[in-house]
Amino acid sequence: SSGINAEYGAARLAGKPLWQLVVDTAPAKLVAMVDWSYLGDVVTEEQAVKMLNVGEEEKQRRIRKLKDEGYPAYITSVGWLGYPDEKVRALTEEKLSEGWTAFKMKVGVNRESDERRAGLMRSLIGPDNNLMMDANQIWDVPTTISRMVPGLTKYNPLWIEEPTSPDDILGHKAISEALAPHGVGVATGEMCQNRVMFKQFLQSGAMQFCQIDSCRVAGVTELLAIMVLARRFGVPVVPHAGGVGLCELVRHYSMIDYIMVSGEMEGRWCEFADHLHEHFTDPAVTKTGRYLLPSLPGFSTQLKEESARFYSYPAGTCWSNDKDAVM
């Protein structure tokens, strides 16, 4: 891992964005850099090489497609729990006008509030656009099932995200089995700490959408192993984002997954939240609900100098006694 992470640390010197540095690397070399310990019962290194061995012509076709069309995204920043219905309506209508087709809302306050807001969201986006729900670990297994069936399933969500403890693999499996007849999947993984837990989630059928997070596990190499595992079990990778800089990071992984691992964009999305991008030199950019392909060298994590100075602790102006300080 140290070898490949050092190489990616030099991405700027190589003059390539991270996604391109990865897909330009020979599959056998990539696989040799990954720790495959404890995964051999479901995927071998030889199988991983075959999965990643996309022909050059096909690889270039996929890159052109990304350049022309971008990568599908869903937007979270229309449905935060603290937003009044009027703000949810205004933001959703704004994003619909921009071409977005996939929307996520938070749930977990109480049954009446969840169902009222879900009804509002579904009425705004119509029957053909995708609605995702996120409970942020608020329920136990029985509560999840009772709140979803028949309650929230009436609004035809694509998935319920993190309905219970992120460590409860068997709990997620029970929820998945209860929701499957209603056409609702379970999405999780943003709090999953390592590839072995992902293996068990995937192997047991406890997740239908694999939500990798760019900062949760051991970097590029372990995430590559997880994407290979997801392909092995036919589960789409739908990266988690939304925090400061996460959208900038995870878009690279969605590009890698499409170009080199799955070759699929249908039924896959990368999360987007529309805030704080102004602090980065290579901000995440979307158009008509799709991420544009990053083109600048590196991993898109460079903060603007003025932002770093303003927020640096304790010397930054943000932490001064001047309550009127603005960047």
Side-chain angles (χ1 to χ4, degrees):
S1 177
S2 61
I4 197 169
N5 287 333
E7 187 171 347
Y8 296 148
R12 218 176 261 110
L13 294 178
K16 297 179 180 181
L18 177 91
W19 67 264
Q20 186 175 0
L21 194 65
V22 174
V23 304
D24 284 350
T25 304
K29 183 178 179 181
L30 281 176
V31 169
M33 295 175 179
V34 174
D35 182 359
W36 297 95
S37 301
Y38 317 118
L39 305 182
D41 55 326
V42 295
V43 66
T44 65
E45 293 185 39
E46 292 76 17
Q47 290 170 328
V49 171
K50 288 181 181 178
M51 288 185 194
L52 298 175
N53 194 17
V54 179
E56 188 61 29
E57 184 176 342
E58 175 61 16
K59 187 188 298 183
Q60 293 305 317
R61 184 194 71 79
R62 294 176 186 179
I63 293 172
R64 287 195 300 272
K65 187 175 178 69
L66 285 172
K67 288 180 177 178
D68 292 342
E69 301 178 10
Y71 191 92
Y74 71 86
I75 188 154
T76 298
S77 46
V78 297
W80 299 117
L81 280 180
Y83 287 173
D85 290 357
E86 295 76 15
K87 185 167 185 176
V88 171
R89 179 185 296 277
L91 289 173
T92 303
E93 290 176 344
E94 175 188 333
K95 295 306 175 186
L96 281 165
S97 72
E98 294 174 3
W100 289 82
T101 60
F103 303 81
K104 190 164 82 176
M105 60 172 289
K106 301 289 185 174
V107 295
V109 175
N110 58 61
R111 188 183 299 273
E112 186 279 328
S113 174
D114 288 346
E115 294 197 27
R116 187 193 75 253
R117 294 170 62 255
L120 172 62
M121 287 288 293
R122 179 52 75 190
S123 70
L124 290 169
I125 69 175
D128 298 326
N129 288 323
N130 286 296
L131 176 64
M132 294 81 160
M133 296 178 178
D134 185 358
N136 286 111
Q137 313 163 27
I138 194 67
W139 299 319
D140 60 16
V141 174
T143 303
T144 299
I145 296 170
S146 69
R147 293 289 287 273
M148 294 299 297
V149 182
L152 291 172
T153 58
K154 297 196 300 281
Y155 305 100
N156 194 28
L158 182 66
W159 73 56
I160 179 65
E161 180 177 333
E162 283 203 321
T164 192
S165 166
D167 301 325
D168 189 355
I169 297 170
L170 295 182
H172 280 80
K173 176 178 171 63
I175 294 167
S176 296
E177 291 171 348
L179 298 187
H182 303 275
V184 179
V186 171
T188 193
E190 70 176 84
M191 300 292 289
C192 194
Q193 301 96 339
N194 59 71
R195 65 194 182 282
V196 178
M197 286 190 68
F198 273 101
K199 180 187 77 167
Q200 293 179 354
F201 269 107
L202 292 161
Q203 194 175 23
S204 65
M207 65 163 59
Q208 288 72 58
F209 296 92
C210 179
Q211 289 187 305
I212 59 174
D213 183 282
S214 58
C215 299
R216 188 65 60 185
V217 298
V220 177
T221 51
E222 189 164 26
L223 284 166
L224 186 63
I226 293 164
M227 288 190 280
V228 167
L229 286 170
R231 177 179 166 182
R232 161 70 175 79
F233 288 100
V235 173
V237 171
V238 289
H240 164 258
V244 181
L246 288 183
C247 295
E248 280 67 32
L249 292 165
V250 296
R251 57 186 171 151
H252 289 266
Y253 290 112
S254 285
M255 310 303 174
I256 293 166
D257 178 63
Y258 173 64
I259 297 167
M260 203 170 195
V261 186
S262 71
E264 298 285 346
M265 282 195 277
E266 185 69 27
R268 295 164 187 264
W269 299 265
C270 187
E271 185 171 17
F272 181 76
D274 198 7
H275 58 262
L276 302 174
H277 306 294
E278 66 273 15
H279 298 295
F280 292 87
T281 60
D282 184 18
V285 178
T286 61
K287 184 177 181 181
T288 61
R290 301 174 80 91
Y291 273 98
L292 303 188
L293 192 66
S295 59
L296 296 183
F299 201 4
S300 308
T301 55
Q302 182 69 43
L303 284 169
K304 291 181 178 178
E305 289 186 11
E306 57 268 31
S307 294
R309 284 196 304 269
F310 185 81
Y311 290 105
S312 291
Y313 184 81
T317 308
C318 174
W319 309 103
S320 71
N321 291 324
D322 182 1
K323 301 303 181 184
D324 297 322
V326 293
M327 192 179 74

